[in-house]
Amino acid sequence: MRISNLSDDLLIKILSFLPTKVAVSTSILSKQWRFLWMWLPTLEYNDNEISVIAPLSASWLRYEEFINKNLPLHRAPIIETFLISFVRNRITHPEKLKLWVEIAVSRSVRELSVGYFSHSEEFFLSLPISLYACDSLMALKLQGKNVLVDVVPLTVSLPMPKLEEAEFRVSQVNEKVLESVTFVKRLSLSSLESVYPSVGIVMSQLEHLELRVYKNDWSKLLIWLLRNSPKLRVLNLYVGFYRRDDEEYEPVDLKNEEESSVPECLLRSLETFEFSSHMGTQEERCFLSFFFTHASCLKSASVIHRAPRHGLQSI
């Protein structure tokens, strides 16, 4: 049986297994194939696809033009997954990426992944306001050095109301990031810097938290998250390598915490705790002492000690 005799629905299913750029190229095969790619449920634009044979600057420009020309032609009413990544190289016009995300939102995108790194502090990627009102989005991933999360517009009563899972690997975690995902059930945060959030943000539905930090004073952000995540059941904590300087560390006063101020999740819901890359700093010792004193619902816990020059050691 010839592949051209298959139904359009089956051909679209086959195309969905190909890289988006390859799927689009099939439009030149025949009249039947001309518009099939426009109905793909998954669109992935990754700069790893850029040819390293041609001059890189020319390759980047051609790839931007390819997306800019073809993405608006997409016809599927729903995009299941939309991935756009300029992690290896810097996009020449960051505002285009914002436009592409708007197109995905207009197609009722359900999973959105944006990766963008800029070597210049002058270039920031901000997300379109329409994203916050998107009532179809269920999973959101942002990755990049200069990805800017704007303030949730006042016109949006409940940002991204169906969002269940969010992952942020950004240079800084602050209240703007957390305001946009207050109703998620799973949250992954990875940050080089953490800004202590203001009051008034409650992660009311959060059940699973993964926190990766690379900065002193990380426990301030973590304690804030615990206090404002009353339903948390699973906590995965990774403390990456950072310059150890106990003189600059301003510890959270955990020893004198009153019972009424202990995070509710420690007393009522947290069941699983994993702490990896334990360096033995004062901040880590203080937090672990406080945590194990008050975590009364634990079913499993592990602490992995990465001793300098001695590999990993389970405690």
Side-chain angles (χ1 to χ4, degrees):
M1 182 177 181
R2 298 178 59 185
I3 191 172
S4 58
N5 292 331
L6 299 176
S7 67
D8 286 353
D9 289 341
L10 187 53
L11 290 175
I12 292 171
K13 182 70 173 180
I14 294 173
L15 287 179
S16 66
F17 291 100
L18 299 176
T20 299
K21 192 172 183 180
V22 176
V24 173
S25 68
T26 63
S27 62
I28 64 173
L29 296 178
S30 67
K31 291 183 178 180
Q32 181 187 10
W33 289 81
R34 184 176 179 183
F35 302 108
L36 287 179
W37 75 268
M38 298 180 183
W39 298 93
L40 289 175
T42 298
L43 295 175
E44 296 185 359
Y45 299 101
N46 194 322
D47 67 353
N48 286 329
E49 299 174 358
I50 296 177
S51 172
V52 296
I53 299 177
L56 284 178
S57 58
S59 297
W60 297 343
L61 287 173
R62 285 199 299 271
Y63 198 62
E64 287 183 38
E65 291 173 359
F66 169 79
I67 301 173
N68 213 41
K69 175 182 178 181
N70 290 283
L71 181 57
L73 300 177
H74 191 262
R75 296 182 177 181
I78 295 176
I79 295 179
E80 295 290 342
T81 301
F82 182 78
L83 180 149
I84 185 78
S85 175
F86 279 81
V87 173
R88 202 167 58 117
N89 310 298
R90 191 190 76 193
I91 188 173
T92 55
H93 300 288
E95 66 277 4
K96 287 184 179 180
L97 206 156
K98 185 175 181 179
L99 175 61
W100 300 335
V101 173
E102 286 183 336
I103 293 175
V105 170
S106 71
R107 304 295 197 279
S108 300
V109 63
R110 292 179 178 173
E111 295 184 19
L112 175 64
S113 178
V114 178
Y116 175 70
F117 280 89
S118 170
H119 299 295
S120 171
E121 298 296 331
E122 299 178 358
F123 286 88
F124 283 85
L125 170 65
S126 61
L127 299 174
I129 293 178
S130 60
L131 178 64
Y132 298 105
C134 183
D135 59 3
S136 61
L137 192 64
M138 300 182 69
L140 173 64
K141 179 179 179 179
L142 300 180
Q143 180 181 9
K145 179 182 177 182
N146 290 338
V147 176
L148 178 65
V149 178
D150 294 326
V151 177
V152 178
L154 296 176
T155 55
V156 178
S157 57
L158 181 59
M160 295 177 280
K162 291 186 179 180
L163 192 68
E164 295 185 354
E165 183 175 349
E167 179 179 346
F168 294 123
R169 298 185 180 275
V170 294
S171 56
Q172 186 181 92
V173 173
N174 53 36
E175 60 266 25
K176 292 181 180 180
V177 171
L178 299 176
E179 279 180 353
S180 64
V181 293
T182 52
F183 290 92
V184 296
K185 293 182 179 181
R186 296 177 62 91
L187 177 62
S188 176
L189 295 176
S190 179
S191 175
L192 297 177
E193 295 186 23
S194 300
V195 176
Y196 189 69
S198 59
V199 296
I201 304 174
V202 178
M203 315 295 289
S204 60
Q205 304 300 316
L206 188 62
E207 297 180 358
H208 191 293
L209 172 63
E210 177 184 334
L211 181 63
R212 302 175 68 89
V213 286
Y214 304 85
K215 188 76 173 180
N216 281 341
D217 292 340
W218 53 265
S219 58
K220 291 183 179 180
L221 174 63
L222 178 56
I223 292 298
W224 183 92
L225 285 166
L226 293 177
R227 284 177 176 157
N228 291 278
S229 305
K231 295 183 179 180
L232 192 67
R233 295 190 302 106
V234 180
L235 172 61
N236 300 116
L237 175 62
Y238 173 82
V239 179
F241 177 79
Y242 53 85
R243 180 182 178 184
R244 180 175 175 176
D245 192 343
D246 292 339
E247 294 181 358
E248 293 184 1
Y249 165 53
E250 298 179 4
V252 181
D253 188 11
L254 299 174
K255 293 183 179 180
N256 298 321
E257 287 284 344
E258 298 180 359
E259 192 69 22
S260 59
S261 64
V262 174
E264 182 181 350
C265 66
L266 293 186
L267 302 174
R268 301 183 183 279
S269 62
L270 193 67
E271 299 178 347
T272 303
F273 174 58
E274 295 181 2
F275 186 11
S276 59
S277 196
H278 177 273
M279 302 291 290
T281 63
Q282 177 190 354
E283 182 171 18
E284 292 169 3
R285 293 194 300 270
C286 288
F287 171 76
L288 289 175
S289 176
F290 168 80
F291 179 87
F292 285 113
T293 297
H294 296 287
S296 56
C297 298
L298 278 181
K299 294 182 179 180
S300 65
S302 64
V303 176
I304 305 299
H305 180 201
R306 185 186 297 272
R309 299 182 182 179
H310 296 290
L312 292 176
Q313 178 181 351
S314 180
I315 298 179

